[in-house]
Amino acid sequence: MADMGSNHDAENRETWRAMQDIYASGRAKAIGVSNFNSHDLDNLLSWDGLTIVPAVDQIQYFVGHTQDSIVTTAAAHDILIQAYSPLATGDLLKRPELAEIAAHYAVSVSQVALRYVIQKGIAPLPKARSMAHVQANAALDFEISESDMQTLDGLSDLDRWHPAGD
């Protein structure tokens, strides 16, 4: 396993070259990256071998961990950010601030967390263990007020996975 934070620019470009070949062959309808930070995205985007911009960058993104620099870099190049673990692997379910906001809207904490991600313009990718959870995750027909969004934006102590430099 490579050292976390080590530079893999050349390897990322070579892997992306292979992904572009797969796309060009018709074996994939879209290609993207996962866990690319702003540096990694810039490395691909500035490469003269780039023929296809990544369609998506899957990153951890949730209340308290929004990785704004990655989102900004991706948005500038029309790369969709997809939030995996939008419930912080369940840790958000224990947050009293989210429970209070959820009670105000008569929804679950999970629904608040997913709606927050959507209102930030990010595509959530929640994990569900039952059909009831899948259905609840899809019942997001409410809007979080601006003041509640600001409260959620202020919850930065959940930022335990934030990579250095991003």
Side-chain angles (χ1 to χ4, degrees):
M1 185 163 146
D3 293 330
M4 186 171 221
S6 58
N7 185 303
H8 297 282
D9 289 353
E11 294 90 342
N12 286 343
R13 285 178 171 181
E14 188 54 38
T15 300
W16 194 251
R17 181 186 314 277
M19 296 292 288
Q20 290 179 145
D21 290 346
I22 290 168
Y23 180 85
S25 76
R27 292 178 288 164
K29 297 205 183 278
I31 52 177
V33 294
S34 182
N35 295 316
F36 268 45
N37 62 28
S38 293
H39 169 86
D40 296 328
L41 288 173
D42 287 337
N43 173 54
L44 280 187
L45 296 167
S46 65
W47 175 44
D48 62 0
L50 181 77
T51 58
I52 300 171
V53 173
V56 64
D57 186 2
Q58 289 185 344
I59 61 171
Q60 282 191 324
Y61 185 103
F62 49 83
V63 174
H65 184 71
T66 56
Q67 304 200 64
D68 295 335
S69 69
I70 299 171
V71 172
T72 299
T73 301
H77 299 280
D78 294 322
I79 299 170
L80 174 71
I81 292 292
Q82 189 172 49
Y84 70 82
S85 197
L87 304 178
T89 320
D91 287 352
L92 290 181
L93 303 177
K94 305 170 195 163
R95 294 298 303 239
E97 303 95 326
L98 272 76
E100 184 177 317
I101 290 172
H104 173 76
Y105 295 98
V107 297
S108 70
V109 171
S110 297
Q111 288 169 310
V112 167
L114 293 172
R115 184 67 203 172
Y116 171 84
V117 169
I118 290 169
Q119 282 184 223
K120 289 294 198 172
I122 308 300
L125 185 62
K127 178 179 176 182
R129 296 177 189 225
S130 71
M131 185 51 76
H133 287 156
V134 170
Q135 291 169 339
N137 289 347
L140 302 174
D141 57 344
F142 65 99
E143 187 165 326
I144 301 172
S145 72
E146 184 60 37
S147 66
D148 286 339
M149 288 295 286
Q150 288 175 0
T151 297
L152 295 170
D153 285 340
L155 298 177
S156 61
D157 60 329
L158 297 174
D159 211 6
R160 66 176 183 238
W161 290 295
H162 193 64
D166 229 1

